[in-house]
Amino acid sequence: LTGTSREQRAFQYLLAHAIPGDPHHILQTFDQWCYHCEHLSCVGPDKGRIVERVLLERAPLRVLELGTYCGYGTVLLAQGLPPGARLYTIEGDPRHAAVAEKVIRLAGFSEETVELIVGPSEEVIPRLREKHGLMNANLVFMDHWKRCYLRDLQLLESHQLLAEGATILADNVLFPGAPHFLQYAKTCGKYHCKVHRASLEY
C-alpha cells in the first residue's frame, strides 16, 4: 500500500531507531522489527549466535557471503571479523543490494572492510580473483537460494577459491532444504560435516 518494499520499510525503521555506527544495535533493531512488525528472512539472533561462535573459533581473514539480502548477515559477519580481515558479499537482486548497502554503511563498515558485489553468484564467483582480488576464502557463509548451494560450492572449488581448511557455513539446509548440497558435502570426502540444530528465524 505504501509503494515501498518490506526491506525498505525495515530500513526506514532502522534509520529512526538504530544507533549509527553500532553494529550490535543495528542487529537488535532489525530483530525488533522482524519480531513485532514484518517478517524478513534474516539470519536472526538464534542462528546468529552460531555464526558468531564460528567466527570466534576460526578468526577468518577473508570471508565470502553468498546472499546479502538486507545486510543483516553481513553486519553480523563484519562485526566478528578479526583486525585486517575483509568481507566480500554477493547479492543477485539490485533492489535488495541497494538496501543492504545503506544498512552496511549505517553500521559503520567501510568499503575497505566490506565489499558488496551485485550480480548472480554463478557469474560473480568466477571473477572474484581477477576483478575483486579475492585469492581464496577462509570462511564462506551461504544464505542465498538453496538450489544454488551445490552449484556455487563446486564453482568455488573449481576456481580454487577455498583456502586450505576453509569453513563453509550453510543456512537452512534441512528446511526449506538443500538435499543435493548436503549429500555432496557428506559423501565427496573433502569435508567434515556438522549440522547445527536451530529454530527458524523469528
Side-chain angles (χ1 to χ4, degrees):
L1 291 174
T2 62
T4 59
S5 67
R6 273 189 307 179
E7 294 78 18
Q8 289 170 314
R9 291 195 291 274
F11 178 68
Q12 292 303 320
Y13 184 81
L14 282 186
L15 277 180
H17 297 92
I19 301 168
D22 185 338
H24 183 68
H25 197 258
I26 297 276
L27 296 176
Q28 278 187 325
T29 309
F30 245 130
D31 291 336
Q32 287 172 353
W33 171 265
C34 293
Y35 276 123
H36 304 296
C37 301
E38 292 181 279
H39 177 271
L40 294 173
S41 298
C42 303
V43 179
D46 291 343
K47 290 190 283 188
R49 281 187 281 275
I50 297 169
V51 175
E52 287 171 334
R53 192 170 70 241
V54 170
L55 282 168
L56 199 61
E57 289 170 0
R58 303 286 186 221
L61 288 175
R62 296 172 304 280
V63 178
L64 174 64
E65 179 185 33
L66 302 179
T68 317
Y69 188 41
C70 290
Y72 183 107
T74 316
V75 172
L76 181 70
L77 289 164
Q79 74 168 356
L81 292 176
R86 187 161 168 76
L87 168 60
Y88 302 80
T89 182
I90 300 172
E91 175 52 49
D93 188 324
R95 294 164 303 176
H96 293 162
V99 173
E101 180 82 45
K102 291 183 275 193
V103 170
I104 294 162
R105 306 310 166 210
L106 184 67
F109 297 109
S110 68
E111 289 185 22
E112 282 69 44
T113 304
V114 179
E115 181 179 350
L116 173 58
I117 305 163
V118 185
S121 55
E122 71 272 21
E123 294 177 14
V124 174
I125 289 170
R127 303 196 310 257
L128 280 172
R129 184 173 286 121
E130 61 179 55
K131 190 170 181 184
H132 301 280
L134 175 61
M135 300 311 291
N136 52 42
N138 309 110
L139 174 68
V140 179
F141 182 47
M142 294 187 166
D143 195 16
H144 57 327
W145 294 106
K146 312 312 157 206
R147 66 175 182 270
C148 301
Y149 279 18
L150 177 57
R151 179 201 68 196
D152 288 352
L153 176 60
Q154 291 175 331
L155 268 177
L156 290 168
E157 290 174 347
S158 64
H159 286 87
Q160 299 176 323
L161 286 164
L162 297 175
E164 190 176 344
T167 300
I168 316 290
L169 200 54
D171 194 17
N172 296 336
V173 293
L174 298 181
F175 182 84
H180 300 299
F181 165 84
L182 215 49
Q183 184 184 21
Y184 176 78
K186 286 178 177 176
T187 60
C188 71
K190 301 174 188 175
Y191 305 100
H192 299 288
C193 291
K194 180 180 179 182
V195 176
H196 298 270
R197 299 282 170 184
S199 63
L200 287 174
E201 55 277 340
Y202 310 115

